[in-house]
Amino acid sequence: MDPSFGDLPFRRLGEAALSRARDLGATYADFRFERDRNQGIHARDTSLESMSTTETLGYSVRVVADGAWGFASSVTLTPDAAAATAATAVEVASALASLNREPVELAPEPTYRDTHISSFEVDPFSVPDDEKVAFFLGVNEKVLGSGKVDHVDFSALLVLENKYFANLEGTETTQQRVRVHGEFDATKIDPSTGAFETMRSCTLPQGRGWEHFSQEVYSGWADEIPSLLEEKMSAPSVEPGRYDLVIHPSNLWLTIHESIGHATELDRALGYEAAYAGTSFATLDKLNNLQYGAPFMHVTGDRTVEHGLATVGYDDEGVAGQTWDLIRDGVLVGYQLNRQMALKEGFGRSNGCAFADSASHAPLQRMPNVSLQAGAEEVSLNDLVGGVENGIYVVGDKSWSIDMQRYNFQFTGQQFWRIRNGRLDGQLKDVAY
């Protein structure tokens, strides 16, 4: 745990807030204190374009009073301010009670007193900025040094999140999470026509530290992409039609995220959330009978897997991280839940999917790590391609769109390889499925 986080007065603030909420008649209350550090870095060609480091600090109080939710947040770090924030949350609940058609009730959860630290080796904020910039520029220079690329952009995001949570039920947890993401885009331009193509490294975000920026991984992509991009530049456009697809995990993750991840958020399936990402076709009446895919399809929700972006010890309602089935034997068998939805719809216990992206926001139901599980047999890329007579192999993600109920979607990618008679047969471009 970052020692400097322990110097902040979160316990005193939490005690003041929860005590005031109890005195004002709240039947449930929780206090969440967060410090989030973010660093964004962008290098273009051989120059550093931008580098920004931000830190946000604040806390929130969420209550159930008069059968309704109330929420308030603050950045003033005094016990009096925390108590006043709790009073505001109770006032909000009382004001909303007359509009509430059914009293808020929460699924039971054991109490915890624990500290959880995500799995990483090197705190990215402990690495000197000069060392980070030198690494990113070194990758760019290697790509440009091929002589086959006109421009390259390297972008990185580093996040260190510290969080304290306490509620009237007796839970008190402290957590630290580290997340990183880095990728570069190479661009090649045809000077005679002005036509251009791009290709991005398929380095996905992870719950790791600075060790994620392995010289071997990024150097490998820096070696490969210039020649791949040169080939893509002269590749033929795909002929529209029906193809068998072999989809690399660097593209498949987004298909899973959009068509399974969002679709199995229960609040979305019930119509409580109908925001930017729409609602869902996977409504509650389809539980245990919707055939999502082939009988061997097995998809899990997971808040515990090492290095996952959604891996936590406890969610933002104090629920311990878990693993459960969303799709088993190809059939929809589960949803992502928070405590209110779990009890309301008869699931018994939440599976820990309450999430807020800052201390100033109330938690909502949000997806865990959603993963397609591997089969029992080892299968190589050659094995997969070898069974395809007429297909396309898709690598990397790019653009996507999906309708408001998630019935139909369209995805593109970074690399597309024609498959003929069980063998890769050169690149294609302009592919969308």
Side-chain angles (χ1 to χ4, degrees), residues 235-252:
S237 183
V238 66
E239 294 183 12
R242 294 179 65 86
Y243 297 85
D244 290 330
L245 298 182
V246 177
I247 305 178
H248 189 270
S250 59
N251 183 276
L252 186 60

Side-chain angles (χ1 to χ4, degrees), residues 57-92:
L57 190 71
Y59 58 88
S60 64
V61 182
R62 191 177 62 145
V63 304
V64 177
D66 296 326
W69 282 116
F71 177 85
S73 64
S74 176
V75 296
T76 305
L77 306 185
T78 66
D80 286 346
T85 303
T88 300
V90 174
E91 289 175 10
V92 170

Side-chain angles (χ1 to χ4, degrees), residues 83-291:
T85 303
T88 300
V90 174
E91 289 175 10
V92 170
S94 298
L96 294 175
S98 63
L99 304 176
N100 204 26
R101 291 182 296 178
E102 51 190 47
V104 174
E105 296 183 81
L106 305 182
E109 180 70 15
T111 58
Y112 308 94
R113 300 182 68 85
D114 192 17
T115 295
H116 178 268
I117 300 175
S118 68
S119 181
F120 67 96
E121 296 175 19
V122 180
D123 176 356
F125 290 88
S126 71
V127 178
D129 289 346
D130 288 349
E131 183 178 328
K132 298 171 188 173
V133 173
F135 174 80
F136 300 140
L137 291 178
V139 173
N140 281 8
E141 288 166 0
K142 186 170 186 177
V143 176
L144 292 170
S146 67
K148 300 176 180 179
V149 168
D150 294 292
H151 295 290
V152 60
D153 291 83
F154 200 121
S155 297
L157 177 64
L158 316 174
V159 179
L160 173 63
E161 173 193 280
N162 293 107
K163 182 178 297 188
Y164 170 80
F165 175 92
N167 64 22
L168 285 178
E169 297 169 334
T171 286
E172 184 180 2
T173 62
T174 307
Q175 299 189 78
Q176 177 169 285
R177 287 204 298 157
V178 175
R179 306 186 295 282
V180 296
H181 186 205
E183 61 187 10
F184 65 85
D185 280 271
T187 303
K188 183 172 180 60
I189 303 169
D190 183 342
S192 63
T193 65
F196 67 92
E197 287 289 345
T198 65
M199 188 173 290
R200 187 170 67 229
S201 60
C202 297
T203 43
L204 298 177
Q206 295 187 16
R208 294 181 185 269
W210 180 252
E211 69 275 4
H212 168 75
F213 295 96
S214 158
Q215 187 64 47
E216 292 76 16
V217 171
Y218 284 90
S219 289
W221 282 108
D223 286 335
E224 291 180 18
I225 280 184
S227 295
L228 292 173
L229 182 55
E230 188 175 49
E231 181 182 350
K232 182 180 180 180
M233 194 78 177
S234 58
S237 183
V238 66
E239 294 183 12
R242 294 179 65 86
Y243 297 85
D244 290 330
L245 298 182
V246 177
I247 305 178
H248 189 270
S250 59
N251 183 276
L252 186 60
W253 80 267
L254 186 57
T255 313
I256 293 171
H257 175 95
E258 295 292 350
S259 62
I260 301 174
H262 279 308
T264 57
E265 292 169 337
L266 184 56
D267 63 343
R268 197 179 297 279
L270 292 172
Y272 283 83
E273 183 183 356
Y276 168 73
T279 56
S280 174
F281 63 88
T283 48
L284 198 58
D285 58 299
K286 296 182 175 66
L287 185 65
N288 297 319
N289 59 56
L290 174 63
Q291 192 71 36

Side-chain angles (χ1 to χ4, degrees), residues 24-93:
L24 293 174
T27 55
Y28 172 85
D30 61 44
F31 172 86
R32 179 166 44 89
F33 184 100
E34 293 195 34
R35 183 186 68 181
D36 297 319
R37 291 176 174 173
N38 291 263
Q39 186 173 61
I41 305 169
H42 178 213
R44 179 168 174 80
D45 296 335
T46 58
S47 300
L48 176 65
E49 288 277 295
S50 64
M51 186 173 193
S52 63
T53 305
T54 61
E55 179 172 302
T56 59
L57 190 71
Y59 58 88
S60 64
V61 182
R62 191 177 62 145
V63 304
V64 177
D66 296 326
W69 282 116
F71 177 85
S73 64
S74 176
V75 296
T76 305
L77 306 185
T78 66
D80 286 346
T85 303
T88 300
V90 174
E91 289 175 10
V92 170

